[in-house]
Amino acid sequence: MRRPTITDIAERVGVSKGAVSFALNGRPGVGEATRARILQVAKEMNWRPHSAARALGGARAEAVGLVIARPASTLGVEPFFAQLLSGLQAGLSAQSAALHLLIVEDVEAEMEVYRDWASAHRVDGFVMVDLKVRDPRIEVLEELGVPAVILGGPGKHGSLSSVWADDRGAMLSVVDYLAALGHGRVAHVAGLPEFRHTQRRTRALRDRAGRLGLEEAVSVHTDFSDSEGAAATRALLSRPRRPTAIVYDSDVMALAGLGVAGEMGVKVPNELSIVAFDDSVLTRIAHPAISALSRDTFAFGKQLAEVMLEVIAEPGLRRDVKTATPRLVVRESTAPPGTWQED
């Protein structure tokens, strides 16, 4: 998509290029009404001061943008994102590219940043995370015509590239394992329901539970925070027939759930098995250590960077890269229901 120039603005307003230059640079020589009209048109066309010069020179920004619409307080305690960002930056740095990271309040603000950074040519492309059902960001990135790679899949990315792991397959492996241990009531403390990976995990649990004939399989949605993870656990364990196993969508929530179980006198794994969807140092140092779906998140981030750089180098290239499915690492937090173990 061609970036707007001063000439484009002048033609739209019906004035000379000199008048546009005066107005955009705050110089005298143009009436206030005309100045206001020029500034309004420039805003509508997403024009920015340096974009034209950079476009004419063919220079790259040597940077990739990542805008995340999640609470900063939640992201700050998630080892998954820390490892992902480390790998992403390492992969970009190998090609002397920087990572521009911004955390915003919602998707509308995220899309506005896309428009601003693209028109100002601040970045050469975008990495998009937290893919949603009927995600409006895909259309915005396609309209901007900038290289973009989505973390998430499979499918429904429009013309954009993607790097993804099989969340459904990973969840199926957990449910199969818990069922083999004899668990018939399995709960899922999930993330936000609008995230596509949350829906894949939720459906995988429901589908497999039906096939295996489990007594109950329920998903409870949260914002991924430790506080909501704890609240969901407390509600589940307060039921007359509480679950015998809980799968958490993050290591932080699993650790919070373990704490609530201890608070309520529910022994893990004697009376409750716990599995985390992300593995980290948190799951390994907990007592008991938490069974978790493990993957090399740093390498995941590096692979994301490599695909991003490929797409920047070859405009129009579309990649759909499936990475290794997270594998279940069994630790002390899972056992057959009702198993007595000495403290």
Side-chain angles (χ1 to χ4, degrees):
M1 182 178 181
R2 188 175 67 85
R3 296 183 179 87
T5 66
I6 287 179
T7 301
D8 296 327
I9 298 172
E11 290 176 354
R12 174 82 68 85
V13 180
V15 297
S16 68
K17 289 188 293 183
V20 174
S21 180
F22 288 155
L24 294 175
N25 289 287
R27 294 167 56 189
V30 62
E32 288 305 311
T34 302
R35 185 189 305 276
R37 173 61 178 153
I38 290 171
L39 294 176
Q40 178 61 35
V41 169
K43 180 179 180 180
E44 292 172 357
M45 298 178 71
N46 286 320
W47 183 89
R48 292 295 183 275
H50 300 296
S51 61
R54 283 176 174 163
L56 288 172
R60 286 183 179 171
E62 303 299 339
V64 169
L66 173 59
V67 188
I68 304 177
R70 280 208 210 181
S73 58
T74 301
L75 289 175
V77 297
E78 282 198 15
F80 172 82
F81 266 102
Q83 287 294 306
L84 180 73
L85 292 175
S86 296
L88 179 58
Q89 181 62 83
L92 295 174
S93 296
Q95 298 296 323
S96 301
L99 176 66
H100 287 345
L101 172 65
L102 187 65
I103 298 174
V104 296
E105 58 188 18
D106 54 34
V107 170
E108 290 299 325
E110 180 179 341
M111 293 189 292
E112 188 59 31
V113 173
Y114 289 161
R115 296 184 182 99
D116 288 346
W117 285 8
S119 61
H121 197 53
R122 287 190 56 186
V123 297
D124 299 315
F126 291 98
V127 170
M128 194 187 95
V129 300
D130 292 337
L131 182 64
K132 296 174 173 56
V133 178
R134 295 181 293 278
D135 202 313
R137 297 173 295 171
I138 294 175
E139 184 177 354
V140 170
L141 289 171
E142 288 179 324
E143 289 176 352
L144 291 172
V146 294
V149 178
I150 296 174
L151 179 62
K156 298 184 179 179
H157 307 135
S159 61
L160 306 182
S161 296
S162 66
V163 175
W164 56 283
D166 186 0
D167 289 282
R168 177 179 174 84
M171 178 60 92
L172 292 176
S173 71
V174 172
V175 181
D176 287 346
Y177 167 68
L178 292 173
L181 289 178
H183 291 278
R185 297 192 302 277
V186 178
H188 173 209
V189 176
L192 295 166
E194 62 265 29
F195 288 173
R196 194 171 289 172
H197 68 261
T198 300
Q199 290 205 356
R200 285 198 299 272
R201 298 174 189 182
T202 299
R203 288 172 180 167
L205 170 60
R206 183 185 63 212
D207 294 346
R208 191 62 114 216
R211 181 176 178 182
L212 295 173
L214 300 189
E215 179 183 338
E216 183 181 39
V218 60
S219 293
V220 180
H221 296 291
T222 72
D223 64 357
F224 290 103
S225 68
D226 59 309
S227 59
E228 289 204 7
T233 304
R234 194 170 290 110
L236 288 167
L237 296 183
S238 297
R239 293 182 173 189
R241 289 182 62 77
R242 65 192 183 208
T244 60
I246 302 179
V247 183
Y248 293 86
D249 263 3
S250 76
D251 46 1
V252 172
M253 292 201 297
L255 199 64
L258 179 63
V260 169
E263 164 200 315
M264 298 180 69
V266 178
K267 295 183 180 296
V268 177
N270 304 17
E271 300 170 279
L272 175 69
S273 285
I274 289 178
V275 180
F277 214 94
D278 290 322
D279 197 10
S280 72
V281 65
L282 296 180
T283 58
R284 295 190 290 273
I285 66 174
H287 181 71
I290 299 173
S291 298
L293 284 159
S294 183
R295 61 181 161 195
D296 189 339
T297 307
F298 182 85
F300 192 35
K302 283 191 70 175
Q303 189 165 18
L304 184 60
E306 291 167 2
V307 174
M308 181 77 259
L309 292 171
E310 288 178 12
V311 173
I312 291 172
E314 189 177 339
L317 176 68
R318 187 181 185 280
R319 297 288 311 279
D320 185 47
V321 179
K322 180 182 178 182
T323 62
T325 301
R327 60 182 181 84
L328 180 62
V329 176
V330 176
R331 299 193 179 103
E332 291 81 12
S333 69
T334 50
T339 300
W340 176 255
Q341 296 179 0
E342 293 291 341
D343 292 333

